[in-house]
Every structure is written in structure tokens, then in C-alpha cells.
Amino acid sequence: MPWAAITSTGLLYSIFYIFIMLFFRKKLNIANDLQTGLIYLFFFLIMINISTVTSAAVTDILSKKLHSSFYIIHLLQWIPFVYAVLKIIPDTEFHKARISYWAISITFIASVSAELYHLYVLAASHNVTESYAAKNHFNILYLPIIWTILASLFIYIGLRKSIQEYSRVGFALIGLMVLKLYGYDVWQMDNISRISAFIALGVILLLSSFTFQRLKNIIKNMVDTKKENEENQEL
């Protein structure tokens, strides 16, 4: 069995082991500081597995060293990840530090980006040679779109739940996307595509500014209305 498969399987067991510890943290009387440390380790292992190790596994699949069904096993790590973020972490003291929001955000962004990247390469390639063109195509065309969608999602969640860190993550991701797109990707295009890209940037920035203001006002009105209703109920 290739080393990528062995390493990925080992990481998957470790991820589920930590998940089980966090799931039964109250029965095991795990201290809050240890819970926080386990959560950070949990995120770190997920990022390592889904980025570095899985990339090697994808190469082995395209090289026919691994069966494609192995990738389905790899996808199992999303179960503990999603459950931990939605159910376990909100019930811990993990969010006492602001950096915790960045840890969740970076792990989620990296995981989604890498997962879609791997799936695209597997779907668009039949061998390792074809995968090089598929990887380049994904990085230039699809990755900026994915980051824009994720950035919008984080900004919305940040405004909706009044969590500034998520909004900052969203704006930071937009900035990173713009730097990547116009600092590297655009120079891989022909002249017409470059001009179109810069025009698109101006349009995107204008629309983003308008949408942000509209969304901010809508959410503010929703919050104010909710507070008024609560005050009326108390009276």
C-alpha cells in the first residue's frame, strides 16, 4: 500500500479518536484547557490530511496505485469536522480567544478549497500527465470563485451573528483572492483576458461595496426589530 494511503488512514483514525474524546469530554472530565488544545490539534490534523496527504493519494489514484474508492474513505473526515463545529465547539470555551474564529475559518476554507481541488483533478484527469493542466486550470479559474463565495459567506455570518472576526476573515480572503488573481493568475492569461479581468475587478469591487452596505442595513433593521419585539413582550 502506498505511503499516502497509510498516512491518510493513520490521520483519519487520529481525527476520529480526538473527535470521540471531545464527544465524551464531560464523561471523561477533560479540563477546558485540554479541550481547547484537542480542538486545535483536531483542526491541524484535518488540514494536514486534506491538503498534503490527500494530494499524494490523488496522484496515486491517477497512477493506478490506489483504487478510486479510497477517496470515499477519505471523505469520512467531514463527519466529525462538521459535527464538532456545529455541536461540540459551541458548548466549550474554545471561543474565549478571538483566534479561535480564525482557526475554524482557515480550516474550513482550506478544507473546502482542497476538497474541490482534488475532486476536480480526479474528474478532469485520467492520468498524472493530464492532472497538471487540470490543476493549473482549477487554480486560475475556479479557486478565485470559490474564495469569493466563501468570503461572502463569512461576511454574511459575521454580520448576521455580530461576530466581527468572521467578517474580517471574509474581507481578508477577498484581499488574498485579489492579490492571487491580479498578482499571478492574470499574467498567465492572454491580453484580452487580462483586460476583461481588470474590468471584472472594478465591477466586483463596486458590487461588493453596494451589497455590503445593503446587507449591513438589512441585518441592522432585523436586529432592531427583534429588540423592539422583545421589549414589547416584556412590557
Side-chain angles (χ1 to χ4, degrees):
M1 182 180 289
W3 73 267
I6 297 173
T7 306
S8 181
T9 303
L11 286 172
L12 192 62
Y13 274 112
S14 300
I15 289 167
F16 270 91
Y17 180 76
I18 295 174
F19 170 72
I20 292 171
M21 289 182 66
L22 291 171
F23 187 83
F24 293 105
R25 64 194 180 282
K26 294 180 180 178
K27 292 184 178 180
L28 295 173
N29 293 321
I30 299 177
N32 291 329
D33 291 341
L34 182 56
Q35 289 181 33
T36 300
L38 287 173
I39 293 172
Y40 279 114
L41 179 60
F42 179 73
F43 287 154
F44 176 74
L45 293 178
I46 285 176
M47 289 186 65
I48 292 296
N49 189 36
I50 206 167
S51 56
T52 307
V53 179
T54 306
S55 294
V58 168
T59 301
D60 288 338
I61 291 173
L62 293 174
S63 302
K64 311 303 180 184
K65 296 178 182 178
L66 273 177
H67 195 273
S68 57
S69 59
F70 178 81
Y71 197 84
I72 298 176
I73 298 175
H74 152 77
L75 292 174
L76 291 175
Q77 75 171 18
W78 279 95
I79 297 174
F81 177 54
V82 173
Y83 188 90
V85 170
L86 296 179
K87 297 293 184 179
I88 294 177
I89 292 177
D91 194 34
T92 66
E93 296 184 359
F94 182 68
H95 284 313
K96 273 190 171 182
R98 291 184 178 181
I99 194 174
S100 63
Y101 294 102
W102 286 85
I104 291 177
S105 303
I106 291 172
T107 304
F108 182 74
I109 292 167
S111 298
V112 171
S113 301
E115 204 70 81
L116 293 176
Y117 169 79
H118 295 140
L119 289 171
Y120 178 80
V121 170
L122 287 173
S125 311
H126 296 93
N127 52 59
V128 176
T129 303
E130 292 181 359
S131 69
Y132 298 130
K135 292 175 181 178
N136 189 56
H137 189 256
F138 180 89
N139 287 331
I140 292 177
L141 182 61
Y142 294 112
L143 190 58
I145 297 174
I146 293 169
W147 281 1
T148 302
I149 294 172
L150 291 176
S152 302
L153 177 64
F154 277 107
I155 292 172
Y156 173 78
I157 293 174
L159 293 173
R160 184 72 177 83
K161 296 188 175 182
S162 299
I163 302 175
Q164 293 183 353
E165 297 306 316
Y166 282 147
S167 296
R168 289 171 182 168
V169 169
F171 286 117
L173 186 58
I174 288 177
L176 181 62
M177 182 272 295
V178 171
L179 283 176
K180 175 186 178 300
L181 185 60
Y182 294 94
Y184 174 77
D185 294 344
V186 74
W187 306 111
Q188 310 301 315
M189 306 174 184
D190 54 51
N191 291 331
I192 296 177
S193 298
R194 289 178 190 173
I195 295 172
S196 301
F198 281 108
I199 293 174
L201 175 62
V203 174
I204 290 172
L205 291 176
L206 287 173
L207 290 176
S208 298
S209 177
F210 175 76
T211 303
F212 175 74
Q213 290 299 327
R214 290 279 296 174
L215 184 60
K216 185 177 180 180
N217 292 332
I218 290 172
I219 293 176
K220 184 177 182 298
N221 292 333
M222 290 173 61
V223 172
D224 291 341
T225 302
K226 184 178 179 181
K227 288 182 178 178
E228 289 178 1
N229 292 335
E230 290 177 351
E231 290 176 356
N232 292 332
Q233 288 178 356
E234 290 177 357
L235 295 174

